[in-house]
Amino acid sequence: MKNILLIGLGRFGRHIAIQLSQLGHDIMAIDTDEERVNDILPFVTNAQIGDSTNPDFLKSLGIGNFDICFVTISGSFQNSLETTSLLKELGGKLVISRAERDVQEKFLLRNGADKVIYPEKQVAKWASIRYTDDHILDYMEVDASHAIIEVEVPSGWIGKTVGELDIRKKYNINIMAVKSNGKINMSVSTNTLFTNNITLLVLGEYKAIQKCFHI
């Protein structure tokens, strides 16, 4: 369980708060809008109305005590940038800020953000990969060049084992787990047999995954 500061309670910030709450974290939520603050109270440990561009207000929160500071301010990039910079100056351990454009991502990283969330860009990439190939059931980006996908077993693999296909050497990917009837089995070995009633969780460079599964 972590101690988390969440600044900005628009739609994205609200979703973050709800998910963090379900994971059992302690959340301090901040916004300038009283209605938003009141609406989020059932999901957070504490919430305050306040201006995050005010250094004195942020100091009063004890920024160094939070494990993670999320900046999810919408509608004012200037406020987001100022808040991000102040959080780092005041001892923020891990500052994660939201960007809405490529240029914002660059400025946030230069001004204190340790990580940048770019929801629209990330979801667009996920959706374009997930829904343009019938064999891809899910997709998660690990970094700029690596991904994890859930994929149907290629027809040419059915009836063969991991060892027979020598997958890691031949395709430069890793079969992390197999999934059957919604249950994940991570005990994958050279003897794991591919059948048509399972799906695969695969980790690798995106280029290698593309080549292997003809994405």
Side-chain angles (χ1 to χ4, degrees):
M1 184 175 68
K2 293 189 175 182
N3 197 20
I4 295 173
L5 176 64
L6 175 63
I7 300 176
L9 298 174
R11 284 177 296 179
F12 183 65
R14 178 180 172 83
H15 283 300
I16 291 271
I18 292 171
Q19 292 299 317
L20 290 172
S21 174
Q22 291 174 352
L23 292 170
H25 298 295
D26 285 334
I27 310 157
M28 165 67 82
I30 304 294
D31 200 281
T32 56
D33 187 289
E34 182 178 1
E35 184 177 351
R36 288 179 176 179
V37 170
N38 290 334
D39 286 345
I40 208 64
L41 282 172
F43 305 102
V44 299
T45 311
N46 197 1
Q48 290 190 32
I49 303 166
D51 178 6
S52 60
T53 65
N54 184 327
D56 292 332
F57 172 70
L58 286 185
K59 285 179 185 176
S60 72
L61 300 175
I63 300 304
N65 296 322
F66 294 100
D67 298 301
I68 304 173
C69 299
F70 282 101
V71 182
T72 56
I73 297 171
S74 59
S76 175
F77 179 63
Q78 181 66 34
N79 287 352
S80 179
L81 193 62
E82 288 184 23
T83 299
T84 297
S85 181
L86 283 170
L87 286 171
K88 209 60 187 176
E89 288 177 14
L90 294 172
K93 297 171 186 174
L94 177 60
V95 179
I96 304 174
S97 300
R98 178 192 180 185
E100 296 176 341
R101 297 182 184 133
D102 289 335
V103 67
Q104 292 181 359
E105 183 176 9
K106 293 176 183 177
F107 275 110
L108 288 166
L109 289 169
R110 290 173 185 170
N111 286 273
D114 296 294
K115 302 286 183 181
V116 173
I117 303 171
Y118 193 164
E120 291 83 358
K121 185 176 182 179
Q122 290 161 342
V123 171
K125 185 173 183 179
W126 173 84
S128 63
I129 293 170
R130 167 65 182 86
Y131 292 110
T132 56
D133 193 306
D134 295 337
H135 304 293
I136 304 299
L137 305 177
D138 206 352
Y139 167 88
M140 183 179 73
E141 186 175 279
V142 177
D143 59 24
S145 58
H146 292 78
I148 297 172
I149 67 167
E150 180 181 351
V151 63
E152 294 178 354
V153 179
S155 58
W157 293 12
I158 294 174
K160 298 178 182 178
T161 66
V162 172
E164 285 178 301
L165 292 168
D166 201 8
I167 289 172
R168 183 178 297 180
K169 184 177 180 180
K170 185 175 181 180
Y171 300 104
N172 198 29
I173 61 172
N174 292 291
I175 307 296
M176 298 175 60
V178 298
K179 188 174 178 181
S180 178
N181 297 321
K183 295 182 179 179
I184 294 176
N185 180 4
M186 299 187 69
S187 301
V188 177
S189 70
T190 56
N191 296 320
T192 297
L193 180 69
F194 293 122
T195 63
N196 58 8
N197 63 345
I198 64 172
T199 57
L200 311 176
L201 296 181
V202 178
L203 168 67
E205 281 193 286
Y206 185 63
K207 289 181 179 179
I209 290 173
Q210 279 184 306
K211 184 177 179 180
C212 180
F213 297 104
H214 308 291
I215 300 173

